[in-house]
Amino acid sequence: MRYFIVEEDRSSGYTGRVDAVHKWGLPGLSNCPACNATWGGGSKDYPSVDLTPVASLADFEEARPEPIEEYERMCELVRPFLPPGAVLEPGSEFGPLVGNARGRFGPLVSPVPWWLLVQREALEKLQAEGLRGLKGCRTELRFRQRNSPELLELELLPLGRAHPDCLPRNRKPPCSRCRRNGLTRPDDSLLLLDSSTIPEHLDLFRLEDFSTAIVCTERFVNACRRLGLDGVTFFPVSSK
C-alpha cells in the first residue's frame, strides 16, 4: 500500500477561508517540572467530543498555560469522552469548529495543515466507495454569503509514527512527564513512515508524533480522483 500526505492545493483557484477554533480545549503547559518546557500543540483535535456534561466546562473555554498538575487534572475530566485511539497533549481541542467562513470552497478543504474539512455530499460519495474511518463532524461556521456549503470536519486519529531513520540520530527521548518530543517535523520529501505503526483499518489518519501531518492511503487518493473531489493535493510518502 502506498501512502500520501494531504495538503491544501493552493493552485486550485478556490477562495474559501476559515477563521475558527474548536469550542473547547485543554490548556497549554507551563514549565514542565521534568523538562522545563512551556508548550501547547493543538493539532490533536477531536471534533466529535462533547464536553457539555463536564461540570467545570468554563475551564475548557479559555486558551492559557497551566502548571502540569492542573493540565493532568483536566485531562482526566476529558478522558471518558474520547474516541478509541485518541491521544491528549497540551492544547488539544474538542467539539465543533466555531467561527467565520467565506469564499468559494472545494469538496475538500484544508484551512490549516492539521484540519481536513469536507462538504457533506463529497463525504457521502467517499463513504459509498467503502473508504474506512471517515467520520464527519458538524461545524458551527457562520457564512456571510448565500448558498453557503455545509462543511464537516473529519476526525483524524493519531495512530502512525515517523520511522527513526528520518529523525536526528542525536535526538533525546520524549519527556518522561509531559511526553514532548521537541522534534521538528521533517520536510515531506524526507519524511519516512514506520510501517509497523501504520493503522491497517483506516484510509485517513494523522501521525502521532508529528500530528500536523495528515496521511491517507492510495485508496483514498484514487477515490478522490475518480470522483473529481479536489481542493487538496497528495504528496507521496515512503514507508519502511
Side-chain angles (χ1 to χ4, degrees):
M1 176 63 67
R2 298 175 64 204
Y3 296 91
F4 298 79
I5 299 293
V6 184
E7 298 177 337
E8 178 189 13
D9 184 359
R10 297 183 180 180
S11 66
S12 64
Y14 294 112
T15 61
R17 292 291 179 267
V18 175
D19 181 15
V21 295
H22 293 91
K23 182 169 285 189
W24 305 291
L26 287 173
L29 183 61
S30 176
N31 300 113
C32 171
C35 67
N36 201 39
T38 294
W39 68 288
S43 53
K44 290 184 174 71
D45 303 324
Y46 304 101
S48 72
V49 172
D50 181 5
L51 293 186
T52 52
V54 177
S56 55
L57 190 59
D59 291 345
F60 295 88
E61 295 175 350
E62 180 184 356
R64 65 198 185 280
E66 290 282 4
I68 197 167
E69 293 80 10
E70 176 64 6
Y71 162 73
E72 291 173 340
R73 182 190 73 83
M74 294 177 67
C75 283
E76 293 312 306
L77 294 176
V78 167
R79 212 172 295 280
F81 305 98
L82 297 178
V87 176
L88 295 177
E89 69 179 13
S92 288
E93 297 182 349
F94 316 96
L97 279 173
V98 180
N100 299 312
R102 66 183 186 280
R104 188 168 64 91
F105 292 90
L108 296 167
V109 184
S110 182
V112 297
W114 53 93
W115 295 349
L116 185 58
L117 311 184
V118 59
Q119 295 200 37
R120 178 175 291 278
E121 182 180 0
L123 176 59
E124 292 172 351
K125 289 180 178 179
L126 290 170
Q127 290 172 330
E129 292 285 316
L131 294 177
R132 302 160 303 173
L134 302 188
K135 183 177 182 179
C137 303
R138 70 181 183 89
T139 61
E140 295 181 5
L141 298 175
R142 298 179 294 272
F143 291 84
R144 296 182 179 179
Q145 61 195 55
R146 294 181 179 180
N147 301 320
S148 58
E150 182 181 4
L151 292 179
L152 304 173
E153 182 180 4
L154 292 174
E155 186 162 71
L156 306 169
L157 295 177
L159 295 176
R161 299 183 67 86
H163 194 280
D165 285 357
C166 71
L167 303 176
R169 292 187 177 182
N170 61 347
R171 64 188 181 278
K172 296 180 180 179
C175 173
S176 60
R177 183 74 183 270
C178 72
R179 307 307 302 168
R180 180 178 181 270
N181 67 32
L183 298 176
T184 300
R185 172 181 160 183
D187 291 340
D188 289 351
S189 60
L190 301 176
L191 184 62
L192 182 65
L193 302 183
D194 185 340
S195 59
S196 68
T197 69
I198 295 175
E200 297 182 354
H201 62 293
L202 297 177
D203 285 305
L204 191 68
F205 56 96
R206 71 169 77 250
L207 296 186
E208 180 181 345
D209 46 358
F210 296 106
S211 52
T212 59
I214 298 174
V215 180
C216 71
T217 63
E218 189 174 15
R219 283 188 293 263
F220 185 88
V221 175
N222 290 340
C224 288
R225 290 173 176 168
R226 186 167 55 251
L227 296 168
L229 304 180
D230 60 359
V232 297
T233 187
F234 304 103
F235 190 92
V237 59
S238 299
S239 61
K240 181 178 178 180

